[in-house]
Amino acid sequence: MGYSIKILPFLLKGMQQTLILTAASATFGTLLGLLLALARIAPARLVRTAASGYVTLFRGTPLMLQILFIWGALPQVGIVLPDTACVIIALSLNAGAYIAEIIRAAIQSIDRGQMEAARSLGMGYGLAMRRIILPQTFRRLLPPMVNELAALTKDTSLAMVVGIVELMKASQQQQSQSFRPAETYIWTALGYLLVTMTLMSLATRFEKKLEARG
Amino acid sequence: MTEPILQVESLHKSFGKLEVLAGISLEVQQGEVVVVIGPSGSGKSTLLRCINFLEVPTQGRILFKGEEVGQKEVGGTLVRLPERVLDQQRTHMGMVFQRFNLFPHMTALENVMEAPMQVRGLRRPEAEALGMKLLTRVGLGEKARTYPPFLSGGQQQRVAIARALAMEPDVMLFDEPTSALDPELVGEVLQVMKDLAKSGMTMIVVTHEMGFAREVGNRVLFMDGGVVVEEGKPEQIFTAPQHTRTREFLSKVL
Ligand SMILES: Nc1ncnc2c1ncn2[C@@H]1O[C@H](COP(=O)(O)OP(=O)(O)O)[C@@H](O)[C@H]1O
Ligand SMILES: [Mg+2]
């Protein structure tokens, strides 16, 4: 018990860093994902091809490699950013690729007649997308987006490879001093579970609210 | 006769190798109600969808009030008009779909208000007044705050008609507006369409409702295999069809 109390402040500090990484990458990743999704189904072929190339690249290579690449390669071309920024960029670029596929699938699951009805009323493609199609995707987006955010939370643990003391790294540091991996890692697991389970219960509550509206 | 409001000139449409429209020509006068009949797969929907450019014609022209819709022939090739021009052209043509296509995340009233506000730039109070007027006109004033999933098929289709009318179109295109409805709900939609025709609206109606065609239609077109096989006054088509294919079709549906 004494040991647990001793390490908790350190783990909480790491947890704070984990949450910052998650929140920042989730925000940028979602914005990027939305843009990529729209590009994936854009009328212009070139735009579609470029977006699909991007998605293939980021889903087809290890996230660890992407983090190390951005952290290592940017300084090589003269761009020096804080480690945290590098990791947030890598996580956002990666999450964007996955979120793009989630949003694209949701858009394409909306009946084609919706876009046609909007266009037949004289609404432009962008306006129809914004006012008619995207709002209808929210409910369908919720479950896969929660999964994605949970995955992202766990993925932030890779930030330890560039020395950022987030929850995983903090826990490593503690257990390497104490040689008590059992307690350390159990507390660490509880930390991650707290985040992912909160996400899921928020989603369930939100879903119920949407259902009540019909 | 004055200049037709809508002209279709030797319209062709192919999907890959499949030629769905094989040269259709048609003129519609202001205030006219043209009824299009024909077997399933004969290209009726495709014709309507080409008229407001939801499908891009392979060949031929659509002229709305003398102006080419969607694309223009320049030096022998068809050139797409800017999207903004097309959007503007579409505001003059209302379309009613077989499956209603109401926006499910908006109430009946919001469905009707959406395009007037977003496209015509009406302010909310004006759009709301317009929406209420139109919903009342189709008999759904009390359903203004209801979401589409809570409306019957007939009610949804009447909202869809009100929504199309909100753009104050010059022509209304109906693609089998009652085909997806339970039989007892067909009448209320046809009644709205009859009233609309009486008010002088120019309409092109694809339908299997021969009673409606007879009562309201000024002209009936019989399509088969992507061409207009026969056209004429409803009386003539229904009582003395000239072509075997028309006779065969009518004997099946009447
Ligand atoms: N988007 C499309 N792609 C391929 N074939 C199509 C498409 N739309 C319609 N068709 C084909 O065109 C033919 C005519 O269809 P349609 O115009 O819907 O006929 P109708 O409305 O008279 O039943 C059908 O054989 C249909 O399968
Ligand atoms: Mg059809």
Side-chain angles (χ1 to χ4, degrees), chain B residues 44-45 98 175-176:
Chain B
K44 307 179 298 295
S45 297
Q98 185 173 346
D175 190 3
E176 300 200 31

Side-chain angles (χ1 to χ4, degrees), chain A residues 111-125 127 130-133 135-136 211-214, chain B residues 49 52 83 87 90-91 93 95 97 99 101-106 114-115 118-119 147 150 163-164 167:
Chain A
D111 189 300
R112 216 167 54 111
Q114 291 290 309
M115 178 56 92
E116 294 185 343
R119 296 308 302 271
S120 78
L121 290 165
M123 297 174 80
Y125 178 84
L127 182 63
R130 181 165 63 80
R131 296 280 313 169
I132 307 302
I133 307 298
Q136 292 186 52
E211 253 162 39
R213 217 189 64 179
Chain B
R49 295 162 56 80
N52 73 356
E83 284 289 300
D87 293 338
R90 283 193 177 124
T91 63
M93 298 185 256
M95 179 130 182
F97 301 85
R99 290 180 47 244
N101 297 344
L102 287 183
F103 307 136
H105 58 305
M106 297 180 180
E114 179 66 9
Q118 299 293 331
V119 181
Y147 284 91
F150 299 104
R163 179 178 69 175
M167 291 304 287

Side-chain angles (χ1 to χ4, degrees), chain A residues 112, chain B residues 13-16 18-21 36-49 55 98 175-176 206 208 223:
Chain A
R112 216 167 54 111
Chain B
K13 174 65 186 178
S14 302
F15 292 106
L18 179 71
E19 186 168 55
V20 174
L21 298 179
V36 181
I37 60 173
S40 167
S42 57
K44 307 179 298 295
S45 297
T46 307
L47 170 64
L48 285 194
R49 295 162 56 80
E55 297 290 354
Q98 185 173 346
D175 190 3
E176 300 200 31
V206 173
H208 295 299
M223 277 179 70

Side-chain angles (χ1 to χ4, degrees), chain B residues 109 112 127-137 140-142 144-145:
Chain B
L109 181 59
V112 182
E128 201 166 324
L130 173 69
M132 282 312 300
K133 189 186 86 180
L134 288 168
L135 285 177
T136 308
R137 179 166 166 191
L140 291 172
E142 331 84 271
R145 312 276 164 199

Side-chain angles (χ1 to χ4, degrees), chain B residues 9-186:
Chain B
E9 292 180 354
S10 56
L11 179 68
H12 290 253
K13 174 65 186 178
S14 302
F15 292 106
K17 285 209 175 87
L18 179 71
E19 186 168 55
V20 174
L21 298 179
I24 298 226
S25 295
L26 167 68
E27 292 193 345
V28 181
Q29 298 293 328
Q30 175 85 49
E32 204 180 3
V33 177
V34 176
V35 175
V36 181
I37 60 173
S40 167
S42 57
K44 307 179 298 295
S45 297
T46 307
L47 170 64
L48 285 194
R49 295 162 56 80
C50 281
I51 289 176
N52 73 356
F53 220 73
L54 284 178
E55 297 290 354
V56 179
T58 321
Q59 258 183 68
R61 300 200 298 174
I62 310 290
L63 298 174
F64 178 79
K65 291 188 173 170
E67 184 188 322
E68 276 157 288
V69 176
Q71 56 190 10
K72 220 180 193 116
E73 203 174 305
V74 180
T77 49
L78 288 172
V79 178
R80 290 285 289 269
L81 295 175
E83 284 289 300
R84 208 166 290 182
V85 176
L86 176 58
D87 293 338
Q88 177 58 30
Q89 290 176 327
R90 283 193 177 124
T91 63
H92 300 293
M93 298 185 256
M95 179 130 182
V96 176
F97 301 85
Q98 185 173 346
R99 290 180 47 244
F100 331 132
N101 297 344
L102 287 183
F103 307 136
H105 58 305
M106 297 180 180
T107 63
L109 181 59
E110 286 164 350
N111 264 273
V112 182
M113 289 163 63
E114 179 66 9
M117 287 179 69
Q118 299 293 331
V119 181
R120 285 171 61 199
L122 255 60
R123 289 174 187 289
R124 180 165 288 276
E126 301 165 295
E128 201 166 324
L130 173 69
M132 282 312 300
K133 189 186 86 180
L134 288 168
L135 285 177
T136 308
R137 179 166 166 191
V138 300
L140 291 172
E142 331 84 271
K143 297 287 182 186
R145 312 276 164 199
T146 308
Y147 284 91
F150 299 104
L151 295 172
S152 75
Q155 291 171 333
Q156 288 190 54
Q157 193 60 297
R158 287 187 280 152
V159 174
I161 293 172
R163 179 178 69 175
L165 290 175
M167 291 304 287
E168 303 185 343
D170 301 303
V171 176
M172 286 284 285
L173 310 171
F174 291 87
D175 190 3
E176 300 200 31
T178 58
S179 295
L181 299 179
D182 293 335
E184 73 272 18
L185 302 177
V186 168

Side-chain angles (χ1 to χ4, degrees), chain A:
Chain A
M1 199 62 219
Y3 173 67
S4 295
I5 288 169
K6 195 184 129 247
I7 62 168
L8 270 181
F10 295 99
L11 296 186
L12 279 175
K13 199 110 194 297
M15 173 98 151
Q16 189 186 0
Q17 191 63 31
T18 292
L19 287 176
I20 289 172
L21 292 176
T22 305
S25 335
T27 308
F28 296 128
T30 303
L31 287 173
L32 176 64
L34 176 60
L35 290 178
L36 282 169
L38 293 172
R40 285 276 272 131
I41 56 166
R45 193 201 202 110
L46 195 69
V47 176
R48 285 203 303 270
T49 312
S52 125
Y54 177 96
V55 170
T56 307
L57 179 66
F58 277 87
R59 298 210 311 174
T61 53
L63 174 57
M64 172 89 85
L65 176 63
Q66 293 162 20
I67 292 174
L68 288 173
F69 186 87
I70 286 175
W71 180 72
L74 286 184
Q76 238 183 324
V77 296
I79 304 173
V80 181
L81 294 173
D83 294 343
T84 313
C86 289
V87 171
I88 288 173
I89 291 173
L91 286 171
S92 304
L93 293 178
N94 181 270
Y98 285 92
I99 292 173
E101 289 305 280
I102 292 171
I103 297 181
R104 181 186 61 84
I107 291 175
Q108 288 181 330
S109 75
I110 304 294
D111 189 300
R112 216 167 54 111
Q114 291 290 309
M115 178 56 92
E116 294 185 343
R119 296 308 302 271
S120 78
L121 290 165
M123 297 174 80
Y125 178 84
L127 182 63
M129 196 50 92
R130 181 165 63 80
R131 296 280 313 169
I132 307 302
I133 307 298
L134 289 178
Q136 292 186 52
T137 63
F138 287 156
R139 191 184 308 203
R140 288 169 215 215
L141 280 176
L142 206 57
M145 277 301 283
V146 171
N147 275 338
E148 180 55 32
L149 292 185
L152 184 58
T153 309
K154 294 178 282 175
D155 284 346
T156 57
S157 61
L158 290 175
M160 71 181 283
V161 299
V162 300
I164 293 173
V165 188
E166 39 63 71
L167 181 53
M168 194 66 231
K169 178 82 180 176
S171 120
Q172 276 260 297
Q173 286 174 341
Q174 292 311 309
Q175 78 84 27
S176 70
Q177 285 170 20
S178 64
F179 301 106
R180 295 176 71 166
E183 296 96 320
T184 320
Y185 288 148
I186 284 171
W187 279 111
T188 307
L190 289 176
Y192 282 110
L193 275 172
L194 181 68
V195 181
T196 49
M197 286 174 64
T198 305
L199 278 173
M200 297 195 191
S201 80
L202 280 179
T204 312
R205 213 179 297 175
F206 191 60
E207 210 161 7
K208 285 220 178 87
K209 215 167 159 186
L210 283 178
E211 253 162 39
R213 217 189 64 179

